[in-house]
Amino acid sequence: MQNRRFHLPVIVQPGRLDRTIVVTDTRSAADILVRRWRWPRTQRYMRAAECCLEVAKGRKPPHLARRAFISAAREARILIDDRPDQSA
């Protein structure tokens, strides 16, 4: 199973308001989807989970999992930022 990095991190807030998580790869995204997801498991959620699995198997590029994860996080209203400032 492969763990592939995202070209840009995704920042989510799946729990407490004072804690954000910077998701930099498919393993981190899958961990949130499987272990920390408290919202309905919608079609977007399922798509994100499937994409992470396909990337882990080497069948899809990581940008597809990132895009699907962003879509699910946006729907669940936990997305903070999908284009963080890279100048720091």
Side-chain angles (χ1 to χ4, degrees):
M1 297 296 246
Q2 299 179 25
N3 181 31
R4 303 281 305 272
R5 294 191 63 79
F6 293 157
H7 67 284
L8 287 174
V10 178
I11 302 171
V12 295
Q13 192 172 57
R16 294 176 39 176
L17 293 177
D18 62 339
R19 296 207 179 145
T20 57
I21 298 174
V22 179
V23 181
T24 60
D25 54 43
T26 55
R27 183 173 293 148
S28 299
D31 180 65
I32 290 171
L33 291 165
V34 172
R35 296 184 179 166
R36 299 179 186 215
W37 202 262
R38 299 180 190 141
W39 302 271
R41 297 203 164 157
T42 65
Q43 189 172 18
R44 288 180 184 177
Y45 166 89
M46 296 303 291
R47 175 78 176 129
E50 288 171 10
C51 279
C52 285
L53 180 60
E54 290 296 307
V55 171
K57 290 179 177 181
R59 295 180 184 160
K60 290 190 177 184
H63 75 272
L64 295 178
R66 181 181 184 274
R67 186 181 314 155
F69 180 74
I70 289 169
S71 180
R74 183 174 286 126
E75 179 181 55
R77 296 187 174 149
I78 65 168
L79 180 67
I80 300 298
D81 197 353
D82 65 338
R83 298 219 176 255
D85 183 13
Q86 295 296 300
S87 63

